[in-house]
Amino acid sequence: MNRNITTFFTINILLGTIIAISSNNWFLIWIGLETNTISILPILLSNNNRRNTEASIKYFIIQALAAAIILNSALINVWNNGSWIINTPMNNVSSITIIIALFFKLGIAPFHFWFPEVINGINLTNGLILTTWQKIAPTIILINNNNNNSNIIIICTTISIIIGSWNGLNQTQTRKIMAFSSINHLGWIILISMFNQNISIIMLLIYIIINTAIFINLIINNTTNISNTNKNNITNPWNASTLSILLLSLGGLPPLTGFINKFISLNTIINSNNTIISIPLIIGSLISLFFYLRISFNTNLTNFPQNSIILINLRNNNNNNINSILNTISITGIIITPIIINFIN
């Protein structure tokens, strides 16, 4: 795709998200979401192959369906209350359908069936966009509009945490693992927004930073399968160590940065006298940590026989600048975790 065209669509993606999260009018929110969806499709289709085209069509159908549900639900609310304002009290039908539509956009269970297949059908760069930037607008809208039907949100997000953890166990494709990881973490973020919206925003920011660093690492080494992660330790030891730290951080292993998400989540739920809800969250967190550990094991603790001459040549082709940036992010995360926890408390 032409560079100017790519820049144009990228700017539209940014504007669509900004319009959606900064508006208090349902019609403007719908326009922002549609602008975002229409602009991302040409970028997804830039790689012309069957799997990529199939994934793009699936993504378009789901996003168009969700946007249509949001617009129709907003129209029903306008007929009843005469207002497009997002804070206007909504009837149960409109509120439930809008929540379901946003769950479709986010890939929250039981509306997650499309997300892993779409992520697995596109390249790693587009997967990074779909699992980070494309999640911002629906998440912020849902956080600002979760006052009603709290039981539905709690049930769906809890199921999402369990399903995202359980289905990631038998995956070998790194893109599918990151897709189920996204389903799991967004369940945490949306659930905590029921109790404290500010903490939910902090969790979203931390998740985006860690997830972006992991995808950058995978893109640099073209790692699409768990079996390929082993070559990182041979060709790029520093990068392999960084990937392990980032994955364990995403899994919530203390004292890494991702532990903040799990710590403040459980602390918020327990302080709200909802200890029972924390039980499936802890179970899901432990299950998801298993497949993060499996990738880390394959990256650093397993070595296959290799030709020593090939090893020397490959090690001389390292991208030291990018490795230094990734290692700095990881080490900084380890250092600032206790500081952030003390600041929150």
Side-chain angles (χ1 to χ4, degrees), residues 227-246:
S227 61
N228 294 336
T229 58
N230 179 258
K231 71 180 181 182
N232 297 345
N233 193 31
I234 300 171
T235 63
N236 206 331
W238 284 106
N239 215 347
S241 300
T242 302
L243 179 61
S244 297
I245 293 174
L246 291 170

Side-chain angles (χ1 to χ4, degrees), residues 14 139 145:
L14 299 176
T139 302
N145 192 48

Side-chain angles (χ1 to χ4, degrees), residues 135-294:
K135 301 294 185 182
I136 294 176
T139 302
I140 299 298
I141 295 169
L142 191 56
I143 290 174
N144 292 331
N145 192 48
N146 63 1
N147 296 324
N148 299 324
N149 304 299
S150 59
N151 291 332
I152 295 176
I153 295 177
I154 291 174
I155 292 172
C156 289
T157 51
T158 304
I159 294 174
S160 183
I161 292 170
I162 299 298
I163 289 179
S165 302
W166 187 261
N167 288 342
L169 290 176
N170 61 346
Q171 302 299 328
T172 58
Q173 299 290 327
T174 53
R175 285 169 294 183
K176 272 198 171 183
I177 290 176
M178 297 308 296
F180 285 113
S181 173
S182 176
I183 294 171
N184 177 281
H185 283 84
L186 285 172
W188 280 83
I189 293 168
I190 301 302
L191 177 60
I192 298 306
S193 68
M194 301 296 302
F195 306 99
N196 192 314
Q197 294 183 352
N198 294 330
I199 290 179
S200 182
I201 298 296
I202 294 173
M203 292 174 62
L204 177 63
L205 179 61
I206 293 173
Y207 165 72
I208 289 175
I209 293 173
I210 298 175
N211 196 63
T212 301
I214 291 174
F215 264 99
I216 291 174
N217 197 303
L218 298 177
I219 292 169
I220 292 170
N221 296 282
N222 193 25
T223 306
T224 59
N225 195 290
I226 292 181
S227 61
N228 294 336
T229 58
N230 179 258
K231 71 180 181 182
N232 297 345
N233 193 31
I234 300 171
T235 63
N236 206 331
W238 284 106
N239 215 347
S241 300
T242 302
L243 179 61
S244 297
I245 293 174
L246 291 170
L247 287 169
L248 294 177
S249 178
L250 191 64
L253 188 70
L256 303 176
T257 310
F259 175 65
I260 299 175
N261 282 3
K262 306 297 172 66
F263 178 83
I264 61 179
S265 299
L266 295 175
N267 185 48
T268 302
I269 292 173
I270 292 173
N271 289 337
S272 302
N273 298 322
N274 292 284
T275 309
I276 297 177
I277 300 177
S278 65
I279 296 175
L281 302 189
I282 295 173
I283 295 173
S285 179
L286 293 175
I287 294 174
S288 63
L289 187 59
F290 173 80
F291 57 80
Y292 294 128
L293 285 169
R294 184 174 63 169

Side-chain angles (χ1 to χ4, degrees), residues 95-139:
S95 179
I96 292 173
T97 52
I98 285 178
I99 289 174
I100 291 174
L102 292 173
F103 281 171
F104 263 116
K105 281 186 168 290
L106 290 171
I108 298 292
F111 312 102
H112 69 288
F113 54 88
W114 63 274
F115 189 64
E117 297 300 325
V118 169
I119 296 297
N120 197 44
I122 59 180
N123 58 34
L124 288 167
T125 303
N126 293 333
L128 168 61
I129 298 173
L130 292 189
T131 55
T132 54
W133 185 263
Q134 293 299 100
K135 301 294 185 182
I136 294 176
T139 302

